[in-house]
Amino acid sequence: MRILIVEDEKTLNTTLSEGLRELGYQTDEAENLKDAEYFIGIRNYDLVLTDWMLPDGSGLDIIDQVKEKSQRTAVVVVSARDDIESEIAALKSGADDYIRKPFEFDVLVARIEARLRFGGTNIIEIVDLIINPDEEKIYFKDEEIELKGKPFEVLTHLARHRDQIVSKEQLLDAIWEEPELVTPNVIEVAINQIRQKMDKPLKIDTIETVRRRGYRFCYPQVA
Ligand code: CA
C-alpha cells in the first residue's frame, strides 16, 4: 500500500513517513502542493494524507486531482484548524476523513487503516486460504506455503483488492519502493512464482491474467 504524505512541517513529515514505513507502507513525502501534484501525476496511491495549510496553497485543492485519477484513493486531511466549520468544509471538499492537530500517531494509523478497510485485523481469510501479512505467512488447509518477498506482497495486494482488476502499474506503485526504476516485467516474474510455488503444487488458481488490464484474484473459482 502506498501513501503520499503532504506536510510542510519537516519533522512531522519525517515522523509520519518513518512510522508508516515501519508498518510496511510505501510512502512518498511532499512538503508543498507542487510536489504533491507531481507525485499524484506519476504514481498511484491508496491514500493521500495532506495538511490543509501548505506554503503554496491549500491541501484541499489536491482532493479533486486525486479523486479524478482514482475514486478509490482515500484522502485524509490533517489540520490545526479545530473549529467544526473547517472540519465540515474539508469533508465537503471531498476528504474522506479529517484529523485535528495535534494527533497521536497511533490514532492516525488506526484512522488510516479504517479508511483502507483493513478492519480489526490484517489477516486475510478466503475459504481455506489464510494470508497473514504481518508474519509474511500463507496457510492452505493449515499447511504453510513457502512464498516470501515480492510474490508474497503481490498475492496479498491482489487478495486485498479481490473485487477489482489491478493493473501492473498499480502493483508496482503499491509494492516497489521506486516503481520507476523497475520494469513491469518484475510483476510477471512475481506472478509466475506464485503460480509455480503455490498454485501448481496445491492444484488451485489464485490469480487470473486479464488481458491488457492486469490481474485479478480469483480464488475460489466460482462455477
Ligand atoms: Ca502546514
Side-chain angles (χ1 to χ4, degrees):
M1 297 247 175
R2 185 172 284 269
I3 297 176
L4 174 65
I5 301 161
V6 192
E7 169 62 66
D8 58 311
E9 280 175 48
K10 284 194 175 71
T11 324
L12 179 59
N13 194 320
T14 308
T15 307
L16 290 172
S17 157
E18 283 172 0
L20 289 168
R21 274 168 188 259
E22 248 168 59
L23 292 168
Y25 294 98
Q26 308 291 345
T27 62
D28 293 311
E29 303 85 42
E31 288 175 9
N32 54 57
L33 214 51
K34 195 168 152 271
D35 290 352
E37 285 167 352
Y38 167 75
F39 276 121
I40 294 160
I42 60 161
R43 290 181 177 173
N44 296 298
Y45 292 96
D46 295 289
L47 188 137
V48 175
L49 182 69
T50 183
D51 183 27
W52 185 325
M53 283 169 278
L54 296 165
D56 53 348
S58 158
L60 300 189
D61 290 346
I62 56 173
I63 299 175
D64 281 349
Q65 191 196 350
V66 172
K67 296 290 179 183
E68 224 165 80
K69 194 168 179 203
S70 166
Q71 276 294 333
R72 280 198 286 273
T73 307
V75 180
V76 174
V77 174
V78 293
S79 174
R81 296 181 183 211
D82 61 358
D83 57 296
I84 293 165
E85 288 77 15
S86 295
E87 186 166 346
I88 292 170
L91 295 169
K92 278 195 171 166
S93 304
D96 298 285
D97 201 359
Y98 183 84
I99 299 169
R100 290 178 193 183
K101 284 180 180 177
F103 48 77
E104 291 288 328
F105 181 73
D106 291 347
V107 173
L108 177 83
V109 169
R111 300 271 285 261
I112 285 176
E113 297 199 328
R115 207 33 75 187
L116 295 171
R117 288 189 211 93
F118 278 6
T121 168
N122 281 336
I123 295 173
I124 304 164
E125 203 170 340
I126 305 158
V127 201
D128 34 21
L129 183 71
I130 296 168
I131 303 171
N132 184 336
D134 299 332
E135 295 180 6
E136 204 182 32
K137 281 184 175 163
I138 304 175
Y139 296 94
F140 183 76
K141 295 184 173 156
D142 298 331
E143 188 195 328
E144 196 183 335
I145 310 302
E146 271 307 312
L147 194 74
K148 307 281 180 194
K150 297 300 187 211
F152 178 89
E153 292 183 52
V154 168
L155 182 79
T156 305
H157 189 86
L158 289 169
R160 252 186 207 137
H161 299 87
R162 58 186 176 276
D163 52 334
Q164 308 161 13
I165 295 170
V166 182
S167 69
K168 281 185 185 172
E169 203 187 15
Q170 287 170 324
L171 282 168
L172 284 175
D173 283 346
I175 296 162
W176 272 263
E177 195 67 40
E178 302 278 354
E180 298 81 15
L181 302 183
V182 294
T183 58
N185 180 34
V186 294
I187 301 285
E188 281 159 43
V189 173
I191 299 276
N192 194 39
Q193 287 198 31
I194 295 167
R195 288 177 175 155
Q196 292 302 321
K197 290 187 173 174
M198 189 172 96
D199 293 9
K200 216 169 156 189
L202 299 176
K203 297 188 176 65
I204 57 171
D205 279 321
T206 53
I207 294 162
E208 175 191 5
T209 305
V210 184
R211 259 190 89 209
R212 285 198 288 267
R213 295 183 61 194
Y215 300 96
R216 179 164 50 200
F217 192 85
C218 65
Y219 181 82
Q221 287 278 10
V222 257

